[in-house]
Amino acid sequence: MTAPPRPAITLLLADDHAILRETLRESLEAEPDLSVVAEAGDGATALAEAARLAPDLVLLDLEMPGPPASVTVRRLLDLRPRPRIVILSMYDDPGYAQELLTLGVNGYLSKGVGRRRLVSVIREVVEDEARVLLSYAPAERAARPGRLSQRERELLSLVARAHSNRQIASGLGISEATVKRHLQNIYLKLDAASRMDAVNKAVAGSLIPSPLARPR
């Protein structure tokens, strides 16, 4: 007996450029598991539509008429059910990205991101809200591989062995919230798009041992 199909991921597109919204809608709705349920050209409309429709994820532009993006983010996160939020920005500002991540957004992407990467990010943050995804233009990256702390390397080694956040927290004697914060920092430092991407980059840079390596 085949399993029933999973419901489509519902999206709200919030950007004050109508042409960009139209392009995004066409691109995203080409995917069978994605559905754009509403659009907004300003922060107030985005909040109203999110409250009315409860989308799974809001793609939010930083530069829109209405309240500052940080205010809009806080109000979106107060909604129940709470939507996931991915920022789409023209500006690759690591400091501002980190501020928004601290508020609780799930990702911060440059508007130059490719369609395949964007679709991948949407699916990953909806399936695993703890996963924070970042993408900066190469010239604007704030950190380079090789700057992981000892604790970050230790934690990422456990990720490489397919440990969950709960297992990592228990093994290291820290909270799951602390695990998530460490992962956010790791993604930022490695410019990683997911747990596996971070592991692959860390292994390639000899920052952690390969999970396939046999212990001596």
Side-chain angles (χ1 to χ4, degrees), residues 46-75:
L47 287 166
E49 290 294 89
R52 183 174 71 90
L53 296 169
D56 295 315
L57 185 141
V58 177
L59 282 174
L60 181 68
D61 178 32
L62 286 180
E63 301 292 332
M64 289 195 301
S70 59
V71 173
T72 301
V73 166
R74 287 189 179 95
R75 293 176 180 173

Side-chain angles (χ1 to χ4, degrees), residues 14-215:
D15 194 293
D16 61 338
H17 291 91
I19 293 177
L20 177 59
R21 293 200 310 271
E22 181 179 347
T23 300
L24 274 174
R25 175 187 281 272
E26 291 178 355
S27 181
L28 295 173
E29 290 199 327
E31 302 294 325
D33 60 333
L34 303 183
S35 174
V36 176
V37 295
E39 298 180 20
D42 57 74
T45 303
L47 287 166
E49 290 294 89
R52 183 174 71 90
L53 296 169
D56 295 315
L57 185 141
V58 177
L59 282 174
L60 181 68
D61 178 32
L62 286 180
E63 301 292 332
M64 289 195 301
S70 59
V71 173
T72 301
V73 166
R74 287 189 179 95
R75 293 176 180 173
L76 286 170
L77 293 174
D78 283 339
L79 297 176
R80 294 294 180 270
R82 184 177 70 178
R84 281 72 160 177
I85 302 172
V86 171
I87 302 295
L88 284 178
S89 175
M90 291 178 62
Y91 307 104
D92 296 326
D93 184 339
Y96 195 26
Q98 193 58 51
E99 177 185 340
L100 292 170
L101 291 172
T102 300
L103 288 179
V105 304
N106 299 85
Y108 187 105
L109 300 174
S110 165
K111 285 187 176 179
V113 69
R115 184 186 69 84
R116 292 180 63 182
R117 164 57 86 73
L118 177 59
V119 169
S120 175
V121 166
I122 289 170
R123 289 173 178 150
E124 290 197 42
V125 299
V126 169
E127 293 170 2
D128 182 1
E129 189 173 358
R131 192 170 293 169
V132 179
L133 308 173
L134 301 168
S135 180
Y136 300 113
E140 299 293 336
R141 288 174 189 157
R144 298 291 186 267
R147 296 182 59 187
L148 298 186
S149 68
Q150 182 60 37
R151 176 47 64 96
E152 288 167 346
R153 295 185 189 203
E154 185 179 13
L155 187 150
L156 194 55
S157 292
L158 295 176
V159 171
R161 297 202 292 271
H163 288 212
S164 67
N165 285 357
R166 179 174 297 180
Q167 290 171 320
I168 293 170
S170 176
L172 298 180
I174 57 180
S175 69
E176 287 189 62
T178 300
V179 172
K180 293 175 184 179
R181 284 196 296 272
H182 279 308
L183 286 173
Q184 290 175 12
N185 290 334
I186 290 168
Y187 294 150
L188 179 60
K189 290 179 179 182
L190 298 182
D191 187 36
S194 67
R195 296 166 82 95
M196 186 55 64
D197 189 26
V199 167
N200 289 339
K201 288 182 175 180
V203 170
S206 300
L207 303 179
I208 64 172
S210 169
L212 300 179
R214 296 181 178 179

